[in-house]
């Protein structure tokens, strides 16, 4: 609670600057929409206690849902390229970093990208995230100084046995000390398995015995489960314990995975999973298969195409008028905590004005765009959640077009931990003891 109140002034300041931009838009809102909430009703109850001022309404910053990000994946930086699939020269790498700057593509951190996906933070309309895989010392010695020069944040995806001293960590590997140094200077370090192999059951893998002997084998059943557990969960725990950090991203080796691996990663607490199938990341891109563009020395076109993919989008996006969730009589209400992971979500748009048919859209955090129903007669948009909400809080975004303008409202409600998975009753019913 303390933290929430501490950030209120910041949010207010943010809202204030946004109000200025949407001045004309807010004039279209129904009268009373922006008047302060009546607070006197709750304050006068206990005698002898000074009336408490109505706390300012907590509103999250409005995130630009039209923003797009491209994520790049690099490996080794070497002066003489011998394996173009994973290598690039420092000069070519730096030229690409410069091109992002020249094209007005902002390099943001992975954590900012995820905060945006959660609806918590805005990002510029066109962004890029830079990642390096596998943990090579050239990432510390060569890439890092270049990134510092441009002031770019970045993420390292590390497979733990590939760190210097591990069973796969040779002379070119990054060391734990280098990782700690980067961590201390704000570099994001995330997980990339333990031994960097195909994580799907029944695929040929190499096992190293403590003596150093290596065996090619195919694991199934319990043996496979034990092995894959260490690859997905063990590697996260090791990185967290060795470096004292929190890991929330998992880059899948070779991008090879299936539902079972995804499930393991989700249960281990990973927020996002990454592949190497590059594509622009939008607000609704699923978090369990985020594509990255793997940059290879002999395929400069991959970088150029990626940059072009988001280069065409108009900066800023269309003007959006923001409506307070309170004015839409939302269900669940903003800030409410519900006892079901399958709530019925509703909002009444009748106060907004004439709604253009077919323009109503509902997005739910963790689900993306949902097939909500809009009843033009009552102005109500509703959606019965059918897929269990996994997070402790849920953000809903409702948007519609009115008089050619996009109008949007968003609110957040909480989900009680250990909540029932039964759908919420349509109308509140008194609790019954069985
Ligand atoms: Zn890798």
């Amino acid at each position: 609670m303390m933290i929430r109140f501490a950030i209120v002034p910041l949010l207010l300041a943010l809202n204030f600057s946004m109000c200025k931009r949407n001045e004309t838009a807010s004039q279209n809102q129904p009268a009373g929409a922006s008047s302060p909430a009546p607070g006197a009703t709750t304050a006068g109850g206990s005698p002898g206690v000074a009336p408490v001022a109505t706390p300012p309404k907590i509103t999250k910053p409005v995130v630009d849902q039209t923003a797009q990000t491209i994520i790049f994946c690099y490996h080794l930086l070497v002066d003489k390229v011998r394996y173009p699939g994973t290598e690039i020269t420092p000069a070519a790498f730096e030229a690409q970093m410069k091109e992002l700057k020249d094209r007005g593509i902002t390099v943001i951190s992975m954590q900012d990208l995820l905060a945006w996906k959660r609806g918590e933070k805005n990002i510029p309309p066109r962004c890029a995230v830079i990642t390096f895989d596998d943990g090579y010392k050239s990432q510390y010695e060569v890439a890092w100084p270049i990134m510092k020069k441009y002031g770019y944040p970045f993420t390292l995806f590390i497979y733990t046995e590939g760190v210097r001293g591990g069973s796969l960590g040779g002379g070119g590997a990054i060391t734990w000390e280098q990782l700690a140094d980067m961590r201390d200077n704000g570099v994001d370090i995330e997980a990339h398995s333990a031994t960097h192999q195909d994580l799907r059951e029944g695929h040929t893998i190499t096992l190293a015995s403590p003596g150093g002997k290596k065996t090619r084998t195919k694991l199934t059943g319990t043996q496979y489960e034990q092995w894959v557990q260490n690859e997905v969960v063990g590697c996260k725990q090791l990185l967290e314990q060795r470096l004292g950090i929190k890991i929330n991203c998992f880059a899948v080796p070779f991008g090879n995975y299936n539902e079972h691996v995804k499930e393991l990663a989700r249960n281990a607490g990973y927020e996002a999973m990454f592949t190497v199938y590059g594509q622009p990341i939008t607000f609704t891109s699923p978090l369990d298969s985020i594509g990255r563009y793997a940059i290879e020395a002999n395929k400069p076109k991959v970088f150029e195409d990626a940059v072009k993919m988001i280069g065409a989008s108009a900066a800023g996006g269309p003007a959006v008028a923001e409506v307070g969730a309170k004015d839409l009589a939302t269900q669940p209400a903003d800030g409410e905590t519900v006892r079901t992971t399958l709530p019925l979500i509703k909002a009444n748009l009748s106060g907004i004005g004439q709604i253009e048919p077919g323009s109503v859209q509902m997005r739910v955090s963790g689900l993306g765009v949902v097939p909500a129903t809009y009843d033009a007669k009552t102005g109500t948009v509703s959606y019965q959640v059918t897929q269990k909400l996994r997070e402790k809080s849920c953000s809903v975004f409702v948007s519609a077009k009115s008089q050619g303008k996009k109008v949007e409202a968003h609110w957040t409600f909480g989900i009680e931990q250990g909540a029932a998975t039964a759908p919420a009753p349509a109308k509140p019913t008194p609790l019954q003891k069985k």
Side-chain angles (χ1 to χ4, degrees), residues 113-129:
L113 171 66
L114 294 178
W116 171 68
K117 296 277 287 174
R118 291 191 296 261
E120 292 172 2
K121 188 170 186 171
N122 223 343
I123 57 170
R126 297 184 307 138
C127 310
V129 173

Side-chain angles (χ1 to χ4, degrees), residues 14-262:
L14 214 88
N15 283 334
F16 181 69
S17 61
M18 282 175 168
C19 284
K20 271 190 174 167
R21 234 191 316 139
N22 291 332
E23 223 157 10
T24 42
S26 55
Q27 278 162 13
N28 293 335
Q29 284 180 30
S34 56
S35 63
T41 46
T42 51
S46 34
V49 178
V52 182
T54 310
K57 194 174 153 194
I58 300 169
T59 316
K60 276 189 183 180
V62 181
V63 299
D64 174 12
Q65 295 180 29
T66 65
Q68 285 191 22
T69 306
I70 39 177
I71 308 177
F72 293 108
C73 162
Y74 294 93
H75 288 86
L76 273 157
L77 281 86
V78 291
D79 290 321
K80 273 195 186 129
V81 172
R82 276 183 301 169
Y83 305 98
T86 51
E87 296 175 346
I88 188 168
T89 65
F93 174 74
E94 182 162 356
Q96 291 179 350
M97 295 303 104
K98 183 175 179 298
E99 190 172 342
L100 293 175
K101 195 187 177 119
D102 293 346
R103 284 177 177 265
I105 297 170
T106 313
V107 175
I108 61 166
S109 71
M110 184 67 86
Q111 297 306 322
D112 277 358
L113 171 66
L114 294 178
W116 171 68
K117 296 277 287 174
R118 291 191 296 261
E120 292 172 2
K121 188 170 186 171
N122 223 343
I123 57 170
R126 297 184 307 138
C127 310
V129 173
I130 312 294
T131 69
F132 297 89
D133 281 19
D134 299 353
Y136 294 103
K137 75 175 179 195
S138 69
Q139 293 164 355
Y140 178 87
E141 291 169 353
V142 186
W144 195 19
I146 296 171
M147 297 301 274
K148 276 187 198 160
K149 184 173 154 186
Y150 285 85
Y152 290 166
F154 61 97
T155 293
L156 296 180
F157 282 109
I158 301 295
Y159 68 100
T160 46
E161 286 297 329
V163 179
R164 189 80 184 265
S167 61
L168 302 165
I174 205 161
T175 66
W176 286 105
E177 290 72 26
Q178 287 168 336
L179 287 174
D181 187 14
M182 292 171 105
R183 169 205 64 198
D184 290 344
N185 287 283
V187 175
D188 182 39
I189 298 168
E190 302 291 345
H192 191 34
S193 83
T195 61
H196 203 289
Q197 308 193 67
D198 194 320
L199 299 180
R200 296 168 298 179
E201 183 169 11
H203 283 76
T204 306
I205 54 153
T206 302
L207 288 181
S209 65
K213 195 172 159 265
K214 287 178 177 166
T215 337
R216 299 280 289 165
T217 183
K218 283 180 186 173
L219 296 181
T220 52
T222 324
Q223 278 187 314
Y224 162 75
E225 292 303 337
Q226 267 173 9
W227 174 81
V228 77
Q229 185 77 14
N230 183 53
E231 293 295 318
V232 179
V233 187
C235 106
K236 179 176 189 280
Q237 288 168 344
L238 181 59
L239 284 166
E240 288 182 335
Q241 283 164 14
R242 275 298 293 246
L243 297 168
I245 55 175
K246 179 180 157 57
I247 301 270
N248 63 349
C249 295
F250 184 58
V252 185
F254 316 108
N256 288 337
Y257 62 171
N258 54 22
E259 274 310 313
H260 181 62
V261 175
K262 280 187 189 180

